[in-house]
Amino acid sequence: MPAAAVIKEQNELFPVFLKLEHLRVLVVGGGNVGLEKLTALLQNSPTITIKVVAIQFNEAVLQLALNHDNISLVPKAFNPEDVAGSDIVIVAVNDREASRAISLEAKRQGKLVNVADTPDLCDFYLSSVVRKGNLKIAISTNGKSPTMAKRLKETFNEVLPDELDQVLDNLQQIRNRLKGDFASKVTQLNDITKVLVTSAPEKKKAAKKKQSVLFYAFLAVVFTLLGVVLSSFAPVQEVLVQAQEYGKSIDKLFYWMILAGFVAQMVDGALGMGYGVTSTTILMSLGVNLPAISGSIHTAEVFSSGASGYSHYKYGNVNKKLFKVLLIPGVIGAILGAYLLSVVGEEYGSSVRPFLASYTLVLGARIFYAAFRKTKARKKIKKAGWLAGAGGFLDSFGGGGWGPLVASTLISKGRTPRFVIGSVSITEFFVALASSLTFFVMLGLSHLHIILGLVIGGVIAAPIAARLAGKLPVKTMFIAVGSLVIIWSLRILLKAVGLF
């Protein structure tokens, strides 16, 4: 058959939004699949009337029925009489032959049927739904990949602003004030809203260009100020002389420093945490003393986290709203932690880390468990600013913890790992900068050859790691983040009791 004659497969489903509060729904099955269907129905239509028929119900379904008077549970095996009085039938039993029999009976009685994970028996599918107030977007993959529909839902939830509901309210008010017949109102509304379509690409392009200019300008100011501060402790002439000496005496150890920076940033950039743990482990194995490790890592992290943050921003991994919430508290916490550590001494900062490790060990286990859960309920993050402040403080005062504390807490609440990692990484630049400047003022600067090696390796790895964060499957990222947090926490706890 000629290529031009090939008929391309397409989705021929007709999207419809039902007023379920006026309909009666029968759900057959009281297990995990039934729970998933019940949850989806209630989330979209809380006042819906549902009858659930099953031989037995799991605890979650029983609890759901206790909390909702509009759900009635009928503990018995299905029979044809159960279909009577229902408008829609949803089959959620783990038995293909039984599902087929129930589906055929419901269709014989003229009911619309959905059978879980069996597209060929369905009259309709339950789509993934994106909801922003009054706006709802239903996503269908024609029954081929519910997983893809869920991933698109996560993306739309992150990208679409909450203010869309305000836009809808404003348009409704405008519509109510318009005069004329229906055709006239449509014409006027088209004229009012066409700017959203015709100028969107130009606005988006101009906004992106403006953001890039502002970002580069801001970086220039930041690094200029950093250079001024550094020059007050290490004059330019002295730095050049030391650089020449280092250039003449470069040995294999310097290349190991570059490797340490590269590996640490690959881990941190892809998973949102682990820079300090990874680089410390490598540098300790090379025989570098602890004071040199601590000062060098905080300094090098400014440059590597800056490159990482920009890369995540470039690849669209940053949630701007989350970034704004984390920024100021994180910086304030970092300054306070660095100042306090400079005053009281490093031994007090080390005493805090076991408590942090105990908390993150629990979070790591929760994240690892979440990777294998069928449903990951997304919870609202309360007091995220306080979380960022605590993370910044412990990162400076305890010698690490920004990523394990902040990123792991946000991910454990059901936030999409890609956007958490991107937002936490770009915020880490400002946290590390604030911490390092405070350390410079209080303690001065040293160990330039270690810093330089870590910076070179980190800057090389940053764009690669950021790209990887956007490509890894969500389940893989949950497993990787959870494992890293558990390892980091156990290492700190074992070290605290003298077993590491």
Side-chain angles (χ1 to χ4, degrees):
M1 182 182 291
V6 176
I7 300 175
K8 187 177 180 181
E9 183 181 359
Q10 61 182 352
N11 190 331
E12 296 181 353
L13 297 173
F14 185 74
V16 174
F17 288 90
L18 299 174
K19 293 183 177 181
L20 289 180
E21 66 271 19
H22 301 316
L23 303 176
R24 291 159 297 180
V25 178
L26 169 66
V27 176
V28 182
N32 290 330
V33 180
L35 174 64
E36 182 180 346
K37 300 299 182 182
L38 286 171
T39 303
L41 291 169
L42 290 169
Q43 285 178 344
N44 286 280
S45 187
T47 59
I48 182 177
T49 300
I50 307 175
K51 180 173 73 172
V52 186
V53 174
I55 297 175
Q56 60 182 10
F57 305 96
N58 67 21
E59 289 297 326
V61 172
L62 291 172
Q63 187 60 48
L64 200 64
L66 285 175
N67 297 334
H68 295 83
D69 296 333
N70 50 328
I71 298 178
S72 59
L73 303 182
V74 182
K76 69 179 189 64
F78 170 84
N79 65 59
E81 295 177 358
D82 296 321
V83 178
S86 299
D87 299 299
I88 295 173
V89 177
I90 296 177
V91 185
V93 297
N94 191 22
D95 186 324
R96 188 173 180 85
E97 291 304 317
S99 296
R100 180 178 293 277
I102 297 170
S103 172
L104 291 175
E105 177 58 34
K107 290 180 179 180
R108 188 186 69 80
Q109 297 189 35
K111 311 299 182 184
L112 292 175
V113 183
N114 172 270
V115 181
D117 296 326
T118 314
D120 57 304
L121 296 179
C122 293
D123 294 317
F124 66 94
Y125 303 135
L126 299 184
S127 61
S128 288
V129 177
V130 180
R131 181 170 53 190
K132 295 286 182 178
N134 287 301
L135 176 68
K136 268 189 180 180
I137 302 174
I139 302 170
S140 167
T141 59
N142 211 13
K144 290 194 171 184
S145 179
T147 301
M148 172 60 76
K150 290 180 181 179
R151 297 297 166 256
L152 289 172
K153 173 184 175 180
E154 292 173 356
T155 301
F156 281 125
N157 271 324
E158 293 287 349
V159 172
L160 293 175
D162 295 330
E163 292 78 10
L164 276 176
D165 205 36
Q166 299 175 17
V167 174
L168 293 177
D169 289 338
N170 293 336
L171 286 174
Q172 183 183 32
Q173 293 178 19
I174 293 172
R175 177 187 176 189
N176 292 337
R177 294 172 186 168
L178 293 177
K179 305 297 182 183
D181 57 16
F182 178 76
S184 174
K185 290 182 178 180
V186 170
T187 301
Q188 293 179 69
L189 283 172
N190 283 338
D191 291 337
I192 293 171
T193 57
K194 70 180 181 181
V195 66
L196 298 175
V197 179
T198 56
S199 63
E202 290 79 6
K203 285 185 176 180
K204 186 175 180 181
K205 185 176 180 181
K208 189 173 182 180
K209 184 176 180 180
K210 182 180 179 180
Q211 288 176 348
S212 297
V213 172
L214 290 174
F215 186 82
Y216 284 120
F218 180 75
L219 284 183
V221 172
V222 168
F223 284 111
T224 299
L225 292 174
L226 182 61
V228 172
V229 174
L230 291 176
S231 64
S232 64
F233 293 97
V236 176
Q237 188 62 36
E238 180 181 336
V239 172
L240 291 175
V241 172
Q242 290 186 17
Q244 290 177 352
E245 292 177 358
Y246 289 140
K248 295 177 182 178
S249 59
I250 287 179
D251 54 17
K252 293 182 179 179
L253 184 62
F254 180 73
Y255 297 107
W256 280 107
M257 301 299 172
I258 296 176
L259 179 62
F262 181 87
V263 173
Q265 188 53 50
M266 281 294 294
V267 173
D268 187 81
L271 302 180
M273 63 190 77
Y275 184 90
V277 177
T278 307
S279 53
T280 297
T281 302
I282 297 175
L283 293 177
M284 285 181 66
S285 68
L286 295 174
V288 181
N289 61 70
L290 286 176
I293 291 174
S294 179
S296 301
I297 288 175
H298 275 96
T299 306
E301 200 170 9
V302 175
F303 298 91
S304 58
S305 62
S308 177
Y310 173 72
S311 299
H312 278 290
Y313 178 81
K314 179 181 177 182
Y315 290 124
N317 299 340
V318 177
N319 182 319
K320 295 178 183 178
K321 185 177 180 180
L322 180 60
F323 166 68
K324 292 176 183 178
V325 172
L326 300 177
L327 178 59
I328 301 301
V331 168
I332 293 174
I335 293 172
L336 292 176
Y339 176 79
L340 188 60
L341 181 63
S342 302
V343 173
V344 302
E346 187 174 342
E347 63 276 8
Y348 293 98
S350 300
S351 65
V352 176
R353 302 186 78 189
F355 297 99
L356 171 64
S358 300
Y359 171 73
T360 55
L361 180 62
V362 176
L363 288 180
R366 288 182 60 188
I367 294 170
F368 196 87
Y369 166 72
F372 300 96
R373 257 186 336 201
K374 286 189 176 181
T375 57
K376 305 178 183 66
R378 177 170 171 165
K379 301 178 182 178
K380 186 176 181 179
I381 307 299
K382 297 180 179 179
K383 300 181 180 179
W386 287 101
L387 174 67
F393 178 85
L394 291 170
D395 194 67
S396 295
F397 187 72
W402 169 257
L405 178 63
V406 180
S408 59
T409 300
L410 293 173
I411 292 174
S412 71
K413 297 295 183 181
R415 288 275 180 169
T416 307
R418 170 190 170 190
F419 294 106
V420 169
I421 291 169
S423 305
V424 170
S425 293
I426 195 171
T427 311
E428 186 179 17
F429 164 71
F430 300 96
V431 171
L433 178 63
S435 177
S436 298
L437 288 176
T438 306
F439 278 126
F440 291 156
V441 172
M442 301 296 294
L443 303 175
L445 180 67
S446 59
H447 311 294
L448 289 177
H449 63 296
I450 299 177
I451 296 171
L452 183 60
L454 293 175
V455 168
I456 293 174
V459 170
I460 294 172
I464 303 173
R467 188 66 171 174
L468 186 62
K471 295 294 184 181
L472 286 175
V474 173
K475 182 176 180 179
T476 302
M477 295 182 75
F478 267 97
I479 294 173
V481 172
S483 301
L484 184 63
V485 173
I486 291 172
I487 293 170
W488 183 88
S489 304
L490 288 175
R491 177 179 178 275
I492 297 299
L493 291 173
L494 291 174
K495 186 177 179 182
V497 297
L499 296 178
F500 191 88

